[in-house]
Structures are given as structure tokens and as C-alpha cells.
């Protein structure tokens, strides 16, 4: 699933305000060595934290339907995980980097919820919209200064981008075949005895009609 979220972000970051700019989108760790090797403007989205959003955890089972809308399997509700990305711009001047970050903000701010039909592969197959937040309150246990220190680089302007993505919970269980015929009810006689083998088997609507007729004949 994570690689599919990367694919979505690459399309978002390379589009919008940056459409046609030719700006590269990278997911590599922005270390000193990486920064020294780059020779063109880059928007970097470094995945630095993965943790479950336990507030979204659900219990029970969810139905899995086929193309005829029949329930064919059942599975547990998906688990939701917060994927936190450190988004930075890399050019030759701070002014150009700020312009790139502004373009990224303009692209991502309107996309607070990514619809399922825009999501690829197994992520889209879940049929769930995916929340996206950018430049919100930093809630992870590690500070951005600690992250830059771990990367071996100097503190740099960045955007905190969080995608909360569903991950399917396994295993799935086969469901029983669908009921395609109505239930049959055998009426007992007035004496309470079961009907003879040759007596008619009544359907539910016939049962209701027979009961109404009996009450008419024998009012209380």
C-alpha cells in the first residue's frame, strides 16, 4: 500500500501548480550525499514516520460483494495508518525553493480528501476515500530538528504532509451462498396435527391470508 500512496503523491506533486514545469519528484532520504548529487530542481517527499491511527480502528466484519452485489466473503475492517512525509524543495537559491513550496501548498490544500476512484491498485479497490493534510500541527514523537539531525543535514524549510491510508486486514472468510428462493411454511391443521404428506405447502403470503380468513370465521 505504501508504494501506491507514493504513486498518488508523485502525481499530485508533479501536477497542479507544477504541471509542465519538469520538476522532479523524489522519495529518497535528503541526506548530504543526496543533496550533493542533485543537479536540477527537485521536490523531495521523504517518508519519515509510519504509525497506526488507533482512533479509526473498528471491530466486526465487512461484507465483500461481487459484480452481482452478492456477499461472497467477509473480512475485518481495514486498519488506518498515518504516513508522514517531509516535503522539501531543492534549487540553487532559497527564493526559488520558497516558490516551489508555495506551488506545492497551492496544489495540496484543495485535496483534503482523495476519492477512491483516483487511487490505484489495491488501495482503490477498498473503495474508501483517503484523508490528506499538509502543514498541520506536528504531532509525531520526533521533532523536525531531530529528523534533520538523523539525516545528517541542516534544518531546511519543509511541509509536513500526512496521508492516512487504509490497509486491509486479513484473512478473509468465504460467505455462504445467497438465498435465492422464498421460505416455505407448513401449516398445522385446526387440531394442531401436522399436515398429511399430500397437503399443500404454503408460502408466507398465503400464511397471512389463511390467518386472516380464520380470524374472520372465528372472531374473539
Amino acid at each position: 500500500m505504501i508504494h501506491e500512496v507514493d504513486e498518488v503523491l508523485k502525481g499530485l506533486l508533479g501536477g497542479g501548480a507544477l504541471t509542465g514545469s519538469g520538476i522532479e519528484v523524489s522519495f529518497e532520504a535528503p541526506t548530504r550525499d543526496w543533496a550533493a548529487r542533485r543537479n536540477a530542481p527537485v521536490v523531495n517527499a521523504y517518508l519519515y514516520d509510519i504509525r497506526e491511527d488507533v482512533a479509526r480502528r473498528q471491530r466486526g466484519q465487512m461484507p465483500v460483494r461481487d459484480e452481482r452485489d452478492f456477499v461472497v466473503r467477509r473480512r475485518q475492517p481495514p486498519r488506518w495508518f498515518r504516513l508522514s512525509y517531509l516535503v522539501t524543495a531543492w534549487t540553487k537559491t532559497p527564493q526559488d525553493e520558497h516558490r516551489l513550496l508555495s506551488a506545492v501548498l497551492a496544489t495540496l490544500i484543495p485535496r483534503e480528501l482523495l476519492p477512491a476512484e483516483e487511487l490505484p491498485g489495491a488501495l482503490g479497490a477498498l473503495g474508501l476515500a483517503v484523508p490528506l493534510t499538509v502543514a498541520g500541527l506536528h504531532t509525531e514523537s520526533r521533532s523536525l530538528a531531530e529528523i534533520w539531525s538523523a539525516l545528517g543535514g541542516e534544518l531546511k524549510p519543509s511541509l509536513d504532509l500526512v496521508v492516512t491510508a487504509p490497509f486491509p486486514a486479513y484473512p478473509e472468510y468465504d460467505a455462504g451462498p445467497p438465498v435465492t428462493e422464498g421460505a416455505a411454511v407448513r401449516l398445522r391443521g385446526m387440531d394442531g396435527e401436522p399436515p398429511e404428506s399430500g397437503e399443500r405447502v404454503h408460502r408466507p403470503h398465503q400464511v397471512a391470508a389463511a390467518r386472516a380468513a380464520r380470524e374472520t370465521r372465528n372472531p374473539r
Side-chain angles (χ1 to χ4, degrees):
M1 289 294 188
I2 296 177
H3 65 285
E4 293 177 342
V5 174
D6 289 347
E7 182 180 339
V8 173
L9 290 183
K10 187 170 185 177
L12 287 177
L13 296 174
L18 296 178
T19 300
S21 65
I23 300 295
E24 179 187 354
V25 178
S26 172
F27 293 92
E28 296 183 56
T31 61
R32 287 181 181 271
D33 291 340
W34 175 85
R37 293 196 308 269
R38 65 172 184 82
N39 53 15
V42 178
V43 171
N44 183 278
Y46 172 57
L47 177 62
Y48 69 88
D49 193 85
I50 304 170
R51 63 186 62 203
E52 184 179 2
D53 187 347
V54 294
R56 290 178 175 267
R57 188 182 297 183
Q58 297 176 320
R59 304 297 181 184
Q61 293 183 336
M62 296 179 59
V64 180
R65 299 180 181 273
D66 63 10
E67 64 278 359
R68 298 173 298 170
D69 203 34
F70 289 151
V71 177
V72 293
R73 290 186 302 279
R74 298 186 185 279
R75 65 185 175 204
Q76 295 179 353
R79 305 274 286 272
W80 294 78
F81 288 82
R82 291 167 52 88
L83 308 181
S84 300
Y85 292 82
L86 186 73
V87 180
T88 49
W90 298 79
T91 67
K92 293 182 177 180
T93 65
Q95 291 81 2
D96 288 339
E97 291 178 354
H98 296 170
R99 290 189 184 95
L100 277 182
L101 289 179
S102 295
V104 170
L105 268 176
T107 298
L108 297 180
I109 285 177
R111 307 304 304 270
E112 294 182 347
L113 200 64
L114 305 177
E117 55 269 21
E118 294 184 10
L119 305 176
L123 186 61
L126 291 175
L128 299 170
V130 170
L132 180 151
T133 59
V134 59
L137 181 65
H138 187 77
T139 59
E140 312 304 345
S141 59
R142 289 175 290 178
S143 69
L144 293 179
E146 290 174 334
I147 296 170
W148 281 112
S149 177
L151 292 171
E154 298 178 356
L155 190 62
K156 189 177 182 68
S158 61
L159 300 174
D160 198 40
L161 172 61
V162 179
V163 180
T164 306
F167 280 62
Y170 296 99
E172 292 185 352
Y173 303 94
D174 291 335
V179 177
T180 57
E181 296 182 0
V185 179
R186 293 184 180 275
L187 291 178
R188 290 180 177 271
M190 297 299 294
D191 57 358
E193 294 298 323
E196 300 296 333
S197 59
E199 291 187 24
R200 185 179 179 184
V201 176
H202 295 273
R203 299 299 178 184
H205 68 281
Q206 296 170 321
V207 173
R211 183 182 298 114
R214 187 165 58 252
E215 292 175 353
T216 301
R217 292 195 302 269
N218 303 297
R220 296 181 180 180

